[in-house]
Amino acid sequence: MLALVELPDAGRLLSMGPEALRALGMRLQGVGLGPAFASRLVRVGERLDDALRAPMRTWHVRRMKEPAAIAARVFLLHDPVTPEEARHALGDLAALRAAGFVEEAEGGVVSRVHLALAGGVLCFGDLPGLGGDAVMPLCGATLELVRAATPASPVDRVLDLGCGAAPVGLLLARAARHVVATDINPRAALFARLNAAVNGVENLEVRVGNLYEPVRGERFDRVLAHPPFVARPAGARESTFVHGGTRGDELPLRVLAGAPGHLAPGGRAVVLGDWPVVDGDPLDARVRAAVGGGATDVLVFQSPGKNLDEYCALHAAVEHRELGDAFARAAIAHRDHLERLGMRGLALACVVVTPGTGWTSLVPIRHVHDVPLTADAVDRLLAARVLAFGPGEALARVRLRVPTGARLVEQPMPEGLPPSVVVQPPAGRPEWPAVLEASLAARVARIAQAPRVQDAGEGAVEAAREALLRGALDVTVP
């Protein structure tokens, strides 16, 4: 079973030194191991689970003869290649062998570390399926966090909290003067330093410690976190990068609780994870309780709930890839555990915390695989709420319009009542359609035609608040 495999010495990997590690990164990128090759690879078996798609990807890559395919077989697919093939793609193997990047087994040259490709960044970590202190090079939703949190213009300081192998910090380093990446796991810190060297990133600093301890008293323009969030059943083997507590959201809530004290003026914390869906315990209220009162705004983007049966089976399959009796026991134990906790689902949600006036808002969104949550969308929806929850005088003076590209569809009502209006958002927006009752729809129509909200007549300001929150109106810059 993979979980029993001894982890390679991450310190030995670093022994190559910064110059040789950077040369390795440039070699891999030079042979074409980058976004273009990754896009070809991900299309193979994209509808399958990891364990099922891997052999199909290996089959296809074996038939590619370019050096990038050979490097992918070594580091991504762990499919042995001949020493001649390895030298053709990677050059002299002596340094890589001495540092533990590659080894010659009976079947050929293989690697005991795993490489992930993340938006042009090369990210090394441990092989998938290892437990304990193993470090995943990239989690499935990591790029969703980066997509939602990358600032539109460069910022001064970014905190990558619980960085793991630091793919988030490496990608955000392009948009910040300085990035601090922290993790409680010293092994993660080693991989983070290694990946900074491989990618030639010099503005990323790595520190070891729990949560905000390594940055006590410091403030940041962005705090990003994708903390462990999986519920841990009694008796389950603990994994540093998987479990968030008995229910799973204990650690993410601690991350959110500490965020306000580490945000610079105008700063923003963005925390992504799977959150328990529990009747009588809405996520926005849970987050607000963790963050506390005061002048901090909370915006929660919540996707539809996931099927618990599929969720438990998939998590068990990661650890028990042979899908035998141990897999069945783990899947059932996990499902029993969630049932005892009263969960009726798990929802991927992105929580945004920023200094403000103290409002809380929940935005139901489509699944990120259907419509990604972008930083532009976060900026737009934050700005709409700052205006909607702000002083009426400020709202009265702005110009609002129906979103460009939106469709307004009348929906008949029973018993002769006036039809409601469904506002279908423009393509690419993550929000669901908004349904406006007839009276609100009429006010929205008047507001959208007026030079300013205050020119739309009585009740326009309150109607504008409601329409902004539902996504039926956008702020227009004159």
Side-chain angles (χ1 to χ4, degrees):
M1 190 171 71
L2 276 174
L4 300 180
V5 174
E6 182 181 355
L7 297 176
D9 184 352
R12 181 182 166 197
L13 299 171
L14 272 169
S15 69
M16 280 184 64
E19 291 184 4
L21 289 170
R22 180 59 187 139
L24 171 61
M26 294 176 68
R27 176 83 187 202
L28 293 173
Q29 292 169 333
V31 300
L33 199 59
F37 184 88
S39 66
R40 292 164 60 193
L41 191 60
V42 298
R43 286 196 292 268
V44 177
E46 60 185 341
R47 295 178 181 273
L48 299 175
D49 180 46
D50 287 344
L52 300 177
R53 72 166 68 100
M56 293 299 95
R57 289 182 174 174
T58 299
W59 186 89
H60 282 276
V61 174
R62 282 179 180 176
R63 281 149 182 79
M64 303 175 188
K65 299 307 180 184
E66 66 260 44
I70 297 171
R73 288 176 62 188
V74 174
F75 290 118
L76 278 72
L77 300 170
H78 308 286
D79 182 39
V81 302
T82 67
E84 293 76 17
E85 288 175 321
R87 283 191 290 271
H88 176 59
L90 305 174
D92 184 9
L93 300 180
L96 294 175
R97 190 183 297 112
F101 272 95
V102 299
E103 60 186 18
E104 285 194 44
E106 184 175 340
V109 177
V110 295
S111 176
R112 291 187 59 206
V113 293
H114 187 65
L115 175 64
L117 307 177
V121 166
L122 301 169
C123 199
F124 283 100
D126 288 307
L127 272 68
L130 302 181
D133 289 334
V135 179
M136 296 177 65
L138 184 70
C139 183
T142 299
L143 296 182
E144 302 301 337
L145 173 62
V146 172
R147 187 178 285 115
T150 300
S153 56
V155 296
D156 187 42
R157 307 189 76 221
V158 168
L159 173 61
D160 179 5
L161 187 70
C163 65
V168 171
L170 293 170
L171 290 167
L172 266 292
R174 304 167 177 174
R177 180 188 63 82
H178 185 68
V179 176
V180 178
T182 69
D183 203 289
I184 193 174
N185 184 0
R187 183 175 181 81
L190 291 173
F191 272 113
R193 294 188 180 102
L194 182 147
N195 289 323
V198 166
N199 290 279
V201 174
E202 298 180 350
N203 61 332
L204 184 141
E205 176 189 356
V206 182
R207 305 179 192 175
V208 178
N210 188 26
L211 294 178
Y212 297 97
E213 289 176 0
V215 293
R216 189 184 304 274
E218 299 180 47
R219 293 183 179 269
F220 300 86
D221 302 289
R222 287 290 187 277
V223 174
L224 282 76
H226 187 205
F229 52 72
V230 176
R232 183 189 176 200
R237 186 165 47 108
E238 186 172 6
S239 178
T240 305
F241 66 82
V242 172
H243 296 121
T246 300
R247 195 164 99 159
D249 62 352
E250 293 92 337
L251 183 58
L253 289 172
R254 288 173 60 199
V255 170
L256 287 165
H262 292 277
L263 292 177
R268 184 182 302 178
V270 185
V271 179
L272 183 72
D274 285 340
W275 296 82
V277 178
V278 181
D279 289 333
D281 188 13
L283 179 55
D284 53 338
R286 201 183 316 159
V287 171
R288 170 50 72 185
V291 171
T296 301
D297 297 336
V298 171
L299 179 55
V300 179
F301 298 95
Q302 183 171 334
S303 296
K306 300 179 180 180
N307 180 284
L308 291 181
D309 297 338
E310 296 176 3
Y311 188 90
C312 293
L314 288 172
H315 272 280
V318 171
E319 185 173 351
H320 304 281
R321 295 193 165 207
E322 75 289 351
L323 303 183
D325 291 343
F327 157 75
R329 288 193 297 271
I332 291 171
H334 197 171
R335 189 66 181 85
D336 282 341
H337 180 67
L338 300 186
E339 185 74 12
R340 284 192 294 270
L341 293 173
M343 289 189 202
R344 60 178 181 84
L346 285 152
L348 181 69
C350 182
V351 180
V352 179
V353 174
T354 185
T357 58
W359 54 258
T360 302
S361 182
L362 185 144
V363 180
I365 60 172
R366 307 177 195 191
H367 197 282
V368 293
H369 295 315
D370 298 325
V371 183
L373 178 64
T374 65
D376 286 344
V378 173
D379 290 344
R380 173 176 55 81
L381 291 163
L382 264 176
R385 276 145 186 80
V386 168
L387 192 57
F389 291 116
E393 296 82 1
L395 179 54
R397 292 192 296 269
V398 301
R399 179 182 180 185
L400 302 180
R401 292 294 180 264
V402 173
T404 302
R407 293 179 60 228
L408 279 63
V409 181
E410 285 194 354
Q411 180 171 288
M413 299 295 289
E415 301 179 1
L417 295 174
S420 59
V421 174
V422 179
V423 182
Q424 297 180 348
R429 288 200 175 186
E431 307 101 296
W432 293 99
V435 180
L436 309 180
E437 56 273 18
S439 59
L440 178 58
R443 288 193 176 96
V444 166
R446 288 196 294 270
I447 293 169
Q449 295 172 359
R452 295 174 297 179
V453 170
Q454 65 187 14
D455 300 318
E458 185 178 353
V461 170
E462 290 308 310
R465 291 189 199 277
E466 187 66 24
L468 282 170
L469 294 175
R470 296 198 200 183
L473 288 174
D474 276 352
V475 180
T476 299
V477 179

